[in-house]
Amino acid sequence: MKCPICKHGETENGYATVVLERNKTTLVFKHVPADICNNCGEEFISESVSIELFSVAKQAVEAGVQVDVREYLAA
Ligand SMILES: [Zn+2]
């Protein structure tokens, strides 16, 4: 698709590293499937993937995790 941020690039399938911070918890997800703009580098993550990330992040916050690096595994 055409990038909605820079309006010039096209997005391509790839993988992104996503960092989520909540309160004292920092979570890093590697190899998250994303569409990445070939012009500005903006990463677009699908809604189903972001819901998954937020639910994992919520569990980590409740568990008191401070910093964690995880591989994203598609459900
Ligand atoms: Zn762009």
Side-chain angles (χ1 to χ4, degrees), residues 2 7 9 13-14 30 35 38-39 43 45 62 65-66 75:
K2 205 153 198 90
K7 311 212 189 296
N13 292 332
K30 294 189 159 191
D35 290 326
N38 62 10
N39 182 53
E43 296 160 348
I45 293 165
E62 286 166 358
V65 172
Q66 294 198 343

Side-chain angles (χ1 to χ4, degrees), residues 2-11 36-44:
K2 205 153 198 90
C3 175
I5 303 297
C6 67
K7 311 212 189 296
H8 291 290
E10 288 285 332
T11 58
I36 300 167
C37 176
N38 62 10
N39 182 53
C40 69
E42 186 70 22
E43 296 160 348
F44 301 94

Side-chain angles (χ1 to χ4, degrees), residues 5-75:
I5 303 297
C6 67
K7 311 212 189 296
H8 291 290
E10 288 285 332
T11 58
E12 296 172 349
N13 292 332
Y15 292 95
T17 298
V18 177
V19 179
L20 291 179
E21 289 183 284
R22 289 285 175 84
N23 302 325
K24 292 175 182 169
T25 302
T26 301
L27 284 181
V28 180
F29 293 95
K30 294 189 159 191
H31 296 117
V32 178
D35 290 326
I36 300 167
C37 176
N38 62 10
N39 182 53
C40 69
E42 186 70 22
E43 296 160 348
F44 301 94
I45 293 165
S46 73
E47 194 175 341
S48 62
V49 170
S50 58
I51 288 170
E52 176 81 22
L53 294 183
F54 282 119
S55 99
V56 172
K58 187 167 173 283
Q59 288 168 22
V61 169
E62 286 166 358
V65 172
Q66 294 198 343
V67 180
D68 203 0
V69 180
R70 303 182 181 204
E71 288 282 321
Y72 179 83
L73 298 174

